Every structure is written in C-alpha cells, then in structure tokens.
Amino acid sequence: MKLANVPITVINQTYSSEEKLTSFADTNALLEICDKFQRPFLHFWTTEQPTLILGINDRHLPKLSLGLKSLKKQSF
C-alpha cells in the first residue's frame, strides 16, 4: 500500500478498566478493515489508569524480571 496522497484515519479512544480487553478486540477489527479496504489508520488508545502492556516477545527481554521488580517497587 502506497501512502502518498492517501488519507489516514486517526482513531483516538480511552478505555476504562472494565473495557481493557475491548481495546485489543477493537485493534484487531480495525486491522481487518484496514486490510480489506486498503486504508491506513492510526489507532491511539489510552486507559484511565496507568497501564503496562507486554507483548508475547517481551518475555525474551534480557532484564525483564529486573524491570518488573522495579515497576512493582514503584507501585505500578
């Protein structure tokens, strides 16, 4: 998909604690729409509370356990 002169849709959403998993479902649905209609988008989503989201590949980070301990110490 070439992006020259293609409008980019910007979606900005805030999710409550109860909706935290909805954000992932929304992202997956938007990816399907993007693929189907070949339209790029930027999806910004935030949560009402500070949130840390780790991906499946983050488990390979060399200092992950040290970083998680540090976050717990800071009450994150």
Side-chain angles (χ1 to χ4, degrees):
M1 174 183 345
K2 294 181 181 180
L3 295 179
N5 300 319
V6 175
I8 298 175
T9 302
V10 177
I11 302 162
N12 189 7
Q13 294 175 284
T14 301
Y15 294 92
S16 68
S17 297
E18 296 79 27
E19 299 173 307
K20 58 187 169 191
L21 294 179
T22 304
S23 59
F24 294 102
D26 288 351
T27 298
N28 287 343
L30 289 167
L31 287 170
E32 285 188 33
I33 291 169
C34 177
D35 187 46
K36 182 177 180 178
F37 296 105
Q38 295 295 295
R39 291 285 310 270
F41 70 91
L42 295 173
H43 184 205
F44 297 100
W45 53 271
T46 57
T47 57
E48 294 175 340
Q49 298 176 339
T51 304
L52 174 66
I53 299 170
L54 297 173
I56 197 161
N57 289 325
D58 293 328
R59 68 178 186 262
H60 301 295
L61 293 170
K63 297 184 181 180
L64 177 61
S65 60
L66 185 63
L68 292 174
K69 284 179 190 175
S70 176
L71 288 169
K72 285 181 185 178
K73 247 172 126 174
Q74 298 175 42
S75 301
F76 197 86

